Amino acid sequence: MLSTLWASELTARLHQRFGDEVTEYSTYLAQNFLVCSPNAAIPIVEFLRAECGYDFLVDITAVDYPKRDNRFDLIYTLYSYAANDRVRVKTAIHERARPASATSIFTGANWLEREIFDMFGIEFEGHPDLRRILLPEEWSGFPLRKDHSILKQDDVWVRENLGIESGQ
């Protein structure tokens, strides 16, 4: 990835408020992002909403890097209608981490965090209703983790619930 340094009034405000908790300010294809420590992610999201006008949570997603110590990246994408600007907040967490929920800042985080739980098994501390949202409750495993074969992960559920062998 060929990202470049992102320097602006916003990065100066973030640096003043969060200091070394943010380890990188970059832009790639005109998309600005910052990388922060796991404990700073939610305070930064809250600061961006309350103090900087980023009033819409576009998405929260995760990426699995199974060979890394901090296995998962969490990425929060926020948008400011007033400034017509988007920013991403990215952090790396270990497999057993329980990152704080963003539902107290953006109610729309509810379903996004449930999807991350459903697909990756990441449990968000303080989430009001953390349960599967796409797959059946009795589903075993997490489909977007890279350590499970996509061809084998649904065999048991399909056999038990549909009475057939998986078509994958």
Side-chain angles (χ1 to χ4, degrees), residues 59-152:
D59 195 14
I60 308 171
T61 192
V63 182
D64 184 13
Y65 297 96
K67 294 181 182 176
R68 281 192 343 201
D69 287 339
N70 287 332
R71 177 176 182 163
F72 298 106
D73 278 356
L74 285 177
I75 302 109
Y76 301 81
T77 305
L78 298 131
Y79 182 75
S80 168
Y81 284 104
N84 188 25
D85 190 44
R86 186 181 319 257
V87 65
R88 288 175 179 81
V89 176
K90 179 176 163 182
T91 191
I93 61 170
H94 64 80
E95 185 170 3
R96 291 170 305 285
R98 291 179 52 97
S101 174
T103 55
S104 65
I105 305 164
F106 291 102
T107 55
N110 188 319
W111 283 18
L112 299 169
E113 289 175 355
R114 285 180 58 195
E115 182 179 1
I116 293 168
F117 167 71
D118 203 3
M119 297 290 109
F120 293 94
I122 298 170
E123 297 181 20
F124 290 87
E125 189 70 40
H127 190 282
D129 186 23
L130 196 61
R131 59 189 166 94
R132 290 197 182 272
I133 191 168
L134 300 172
L135 296 172
E137 285 292 330
E138 62 275 4
W139 189 271
S140 178
F142 305 101
L144 293 183
R145 284 189 177 209
K146 293 180 181 171
D147 54 2
H148 294 353
S149 166
I150 195 164
L151 298 177
K152 297 292 180 189

Side-chain angles (χ1 to χ4, degrees), residues 51-64:
E51 309 267 335
C52 304
Y54 287 84
D55 45 359
F56 180 61
L57 177 65
V58 176
D59 195 14
I60 308 171
T61 192
V63 182
D64 184 13

Side-chain angles (χ1 to χ4, degrees), residues 8-21:
S8 68
E9 181 183 319
L10 179 59
T11 60
R13 289 181 69 189
L14 287 160
H15 181 71
Q16 181 179 13
R17 176 77 156 69
F18 295 99
D20 292 340
E21 293 292 322

